[in-house]
Amino acid sequence: CTAPCKDVAGNEYLLGATYKDGDQTCTCKESGFECACGDTTPCGGGLTRWVDQETCESKCIPPPAYCVSSGDPHYKSFDGKYFDFHGECTYQAASCGKFDVYFKNEEL
C-alpha cells in the first residue's frame, strides 16, 4: 500500500499528515495536499486574527462593526456611540479607499 501524498522531495505522507512549507501548513487529503497559511497566535484586547491566504500576511484586527441610521435622525456609529443630527445635511459614515458611505438628511 502506498501513501496517498508525496511532496516535491518525494517524501510520502499518510492521510491527515501535515508538513510546513514556508509559512503554510500542508495537509495530506484524498485529492492530494491542501496547503493554507496558519498563524494561530492569539490576539489580545478583543482583536481577531486575520490571515491573507495568498501572501500569508497575518495581523490582529478589530471584530466586525456596524453603523446604523434610523428614524428622524438617529445614528449609531461603528464604535457604538449614539448621535442625533438635525437639519438638512450629509454625513460621511465610513470610507475606505474608493468606498464611501454617506447619510443624507433632507426635508420630505
Side-chain angles (χ1 to χ4, degrees), residues 8 16 29-31 44 70 75 78 81 83-84 90:
V8 293
K29 305 276 184 163
E30 289 282 345
S31 59
S70 65
Y75 301 96
F78 287 103
K81 295 179 183 172
F83 300 92
D84 291 327
T90 301

Side-chain angles (χ1 to χ4, degrees), residues 49-92:
R49 170 77 47 205
W50 173 83
V51 180
D52 183 320
Q53 290 298 318
E54 289 185 23
T55 65
C56 290
E57 175 189 4
S58 173
K59 59 184 167 182
C60 295
I61 61 171
Y66 305 92
C67 65
V68 177
S69 170
S70 65
D72 178 29
H74 310 293
Y75 301 96
K76 180 181 175 186
S77 62
F78 287 103
D79 60 0
K81 295 179 183 172
Y82 291 91
F83 300 92
D84 291 327
F85 294 115
H86 299 277
E88 292 185 37
C89 49
T90 301
Y91 299 97
Q92 183 174 355

Side-chain angles (χ1 to χ4, degrees), residues 17-39:
T18 62
Y19 78 95
K20 292 287 281 178
D21 182 11
D23 291 331
Q24 292 189 326
T25 299
C26 299
T27 304
C28 179
K29 305 276 184 163
E30 289 282 345
S31 59
F33 281 115
E34 190 175 288
C35 299
C37 303
D39 185 354

